[in-house]
Amino acid sequence: MAVAVVGSGLAGFTAYQALRRGGLAPGEIAVFGTDDDPAGAFRRHAAAIRQRRMRSESDGHCLPATFPGLAVRSALRRRSPGPLVASVLDRYHPTLEEFLAHVERVRERSGWERSLQGVRIERVRAVEGGFELDRHGRFRHVLLTPGQPGLNMPEELRGDPRAVHAYEPHEYRSTVTVVGAGLAAATEWLNALEAGAEVVSVRRREPLRRVLNVPREYFSRRGLGSYHRLSADERAARLRALLAPSYPPGADWDEPLARAAAAGRFRVEESLNGSEQVICATGFRRGFRHDPLLARLVDDHGLETFEGWVSAGADGSVPALTDTTRTLALGGAPAQWAFPAADTLAGARYVGHGFLRRIKACRIR
Amino acid sequence: MSYTLRGRLESRLAALLPLVAAACVLTALLHRWWPVQAVALMAGVGLALDVQAYHSLLRYQPAWAAFPLGALELGLLLGLMRLLNVIAPLPQALALFAAGWLLSQILAQAGFPLLRLGYSEDGGELGRLGGVSVLAVGVALAGAAATAYAGLRPVVHLAAGVHQGPLVITRREILIGDAGAVVRGGIIIRADDVTVKNVAVVGGVNGITVESVHGTVLDGVSVSGAQLDGIHVRLAGIVIKNCTVDMHGNPLGQGIDISYNMGMGTSMVEGCTVIGGMEGIATHASMTEIVHDRVSGTQMRGISVDEMSMGTVMDSEVSGALGIGIYCNDRSLCMIEHDTVVGTRPDVASGNPTRRGVGVLASFQSQADLRGNQLASNPVPMGAVIDSQIAATH
């Protein structure tokens, strides 16, 4: 086999679909990961915050072409134009069930199981003509999608018995403080209020209100072109700004909060108080140092990094380890240097397309 | 979708490609240039808006924006077509635009993403397909323009002064007379698609003879002193407008005679003045519209729709005709509307009772429908003889 995907989560799974569409058979791709459900981690996190709808839109799926999107499939299944109309108006967000069912359907028919190796890769080492993955062989083209490097728990709350991370299973006490200002935090405000709790939001900054994780132009060359032309300092600053916590605008969020605030059940404070429960909606750890595989790769090969990001080319490939005969590319959150929304499904698709292009352009496949 | 400028242009032109092909086919089938002209304008409007407005104003273009933007482009297209005098049947032009718009939406939402996996993230850029599309649209439109240019008729200017005729035109051309250009001895047209403009014709057997050809236009010609007919048309489709035919001293010739062209479409005589002659304007076995004309002082009939013709006589004035003002004869069907027939003189010398100064006469199994005519100042305003009918609505 010439092609390997390290990581069996949604990012690896979506890139895998692009490879399959590009003509690679399941037997030509090795996927390294221990969870045979590509949506396993996402499913657990979504269940923990009781997420009902996806933030993504019709094209937030795992297939390599944006069309037909989930809205088209939903319209056909329901025999109703409703999802299509909503999609035209940018109001369509698939339910979690719809998305997970889609992942399951794609998994069944894509040959994923035949490619899945069921082992975890600890080390990737550049060798003559490719890369060696532990003792599991050499591969000419490798995509690393190691996933998120663990939950981010504020230092001061480690060991605090009241504290739980939003992405860990939990119930709600009668007084709840939610730390954070992103989608998970906003979801937890509503969850806790619905459970009858009194809620305090503790945040360092006012949350941004955005439909998607980053402004829409950053999902296409329109915004990416100028982003890629920035100097490293400018790009890091832009990336920090783009990755600031945000959640979508809309009455579905604002009205329950306004009602609760009027009833004295929701307020914003600057620091923790005496709540019975502290929910840390503080996302995931950031930076390659938190991921042993990436940290070792960087150290072994002296790769260029910047403020916790591995410096990647526009298509997610690592320039120092990529040429016309081999490819090492990053996918998922580690590819944010190439694509700010790399941790989304669109980002996974973007990296998958780039990886496929590299493979097709390779002189020695 | 967030288009790059290149993506916008490539997507637009690639989506337009099938429409350009359809317009070329339509143009070939209809023998009309408006489909290609309309599509070229459509491309021009779209590209101009892409470059000048959409790219800077729409960093992200939601799918619903296709509706207002489509309406804007349609409005600009129709305005430009009017401004540039692109004459197209409105329903067909709208259908062409709607087909193009719909096709572009289908391609942008479904076709291009399926064809090119990175279509959305590439901001609508199509790679090689984009380049090929731009080239193909350019070549097709340039080819159409070259074909149109090659098909243009040569324009011949006739200098001021007297030119000895008869002038025989044997190729498709536009003959334009400079002020004071006169042809003595008549003009004979023997080629299709000839236009004669602003030429004075003096003398000749017929002033202007048009026989067995298509697409003749006589615009602003004046004819006088013809031995037989002023303008003599046989087996030919013709448009005559803004002409003057002076038949003084020729009691046996017709001012304008259009005959035996029933199978060649509708001919037209518009805005002409005919003085004298046996008949001012006469048609035989013909479909002709006679509109906004003035006929006076004729010796037999002012306007005659004869011999199984189908004719409309509208908004015209016939004055001082001897015997009959407007004549609908020999199994003809005539629409006679908003005409003024005055001063028709009784032809006492003929002894023919149908020529006693009749404003409008239908004769020999003919049918004339009259509406809104002024016929009062005639000895007999109207009449029908020999199994003919007049249906008059005032």
Side-chain angles (χ1 to χ4, degrees), chain B residues 205-376:
Chain B
V205 178
N206 296 308
I208 299 175
T209 303
V210 183
E211 202 161 325
S212 304
V213 293
H214 292 270
T216 306
V217 176
L218 305 179
D219 185 2
V221 298
S222 69
V223 177
S224 61
Q227 293 167 30
L228 293 177
D229 295 340
I231 297 174
H232 177 88
V233 181
R234 289 288 181 276
L235 295 162
I238 191 164
V239 172
I240 306 170
K241 44 189 182 179
N242 308 318
C243 71
T244 305
V245 181
D246 184 349
M247 299 293 287
H248 273 127
N250 182 349
L252 298 176
Q254 330 291 0
I256 299 172
D257 184 341
I258 300 175
S259 295
Y260 314 124
N261 65 354
M262 185 64 95
M264 306 181 82
T266 301
S267 290
M268 175 165 267
V269 180
E270 182 179 10
C272 285
T273 300
V274 182
I275 302 167
M278 190 162 73
E279 291 177 319
I281 301 171
T283 72
H284 295 263
S286 167
M287 281 201 300
T288 303
E289 291 187 5
I290 299 165
V291 184
H292 290 298
D293 299 301
R294 286 186 303 279
V295 176
S296 61
T298 52
Q299 297 304 304
M300 183 68 77
R301 292 172 278 263
I303 295 174
S304 175
V305 179
D306 211 335
E307 249 186 299
M308 293 172 283
S309 286
M310 294 172 72
T312 299
V313 183
M314 189 185 289
D315 296 320
S316 294
E317 185 182 313
V318 178
S319 60
L322 181 63
I324 298 169
I326 298 176
Y327 189 45
C328 180
N329 184 50
D330 193 0
R331 295 174 174 163
S332 292
L333 295 173
C334 310
M335 298 285 294
I336 300 169
E337 297 184 0
H338 305 295
D339 298 301
T340 301
V341 183
V342 292
T344 309
R345 295 168 287 142
D347 184 4
V348 179
S350 72
N352 183 342
T354 65
R355 293 186 51 75
R356 54 202 160 112
V358 184
V360 176
L361 180 69
S363 173
F364 192 63
Q365 299 178 0
S366 295
Q367 182 174 330
D369 290 341
L370 277 61
R371 182 172 300 172
N373 299 292
Q374 300 290 329
L375 307 175

Side-chain angles (χ1 to χ4, degrees), chain B residues 35-87:
Chain B
V36 166
Q37 290 171 325
V39 170
L41 283 177
M42 218 182 282
V45 165
L47 295 178
L49 285 172
D50 282 339
V51 173
Q52 296 296 329
Y54 296 165
H55 181 64
S56 51
L57 296 177
L58 300 172
R59 294 190 70 78
Y60 165 72
Q61 184 174 316
W64 59 261
F67 295 96
L69 297 184
L72 170 69
E73 290 177 23
L74 175 60
L76 289 173
L77 173 69
L78 294 178
L80 269 178
M81 285 175 71
R82 190 168 186 156
L83 197 69
L84 300 174
N85 204 24
V86 175
I87 297 163

Side-chain angles (χ1 to χ4, degrees), chain A residues 49 51 53-55 181-188 245-248 253:
Chain A
I49 62 168
Q51 186 177 344
R53 283 196 176 272
M54 301 292 285
R55 187 176 194 173
L183 179 65
T187 307
E188 289 290 52
S246 69
Y247 68 97
W253 302 95

Side-chain angles (χ1 to χ4, degrees), chain A residues 15-74:
Chain A
Y16 178 82
Q17 303 310 322
L19 299 179
R20 293 284 289 111
R21 170 70 178 263
L24 275 74
E28 294 178 280
I29 313 165
V31 178
F32 293 95
T34 50
D35 194 344
D36 63 354
D37 176 7
F42 170 79
R43 193 191 299 272
R44 287 189 292 278
H45 296 153
I49 62 168
R50 295 151 177 85
Q51 186 177 344
R52 295 179 189 93
R53 283 196 176 272
M54 301 292 285
R55 187 176 194 173
S56 54
E57 297 174 331
S58 179
D59 62 352
H61 55 70
C62 302
L63 292 169
T66 52
F67 182 87
L70 294 180
V72 175
R73 294 162 200 274
S74 178

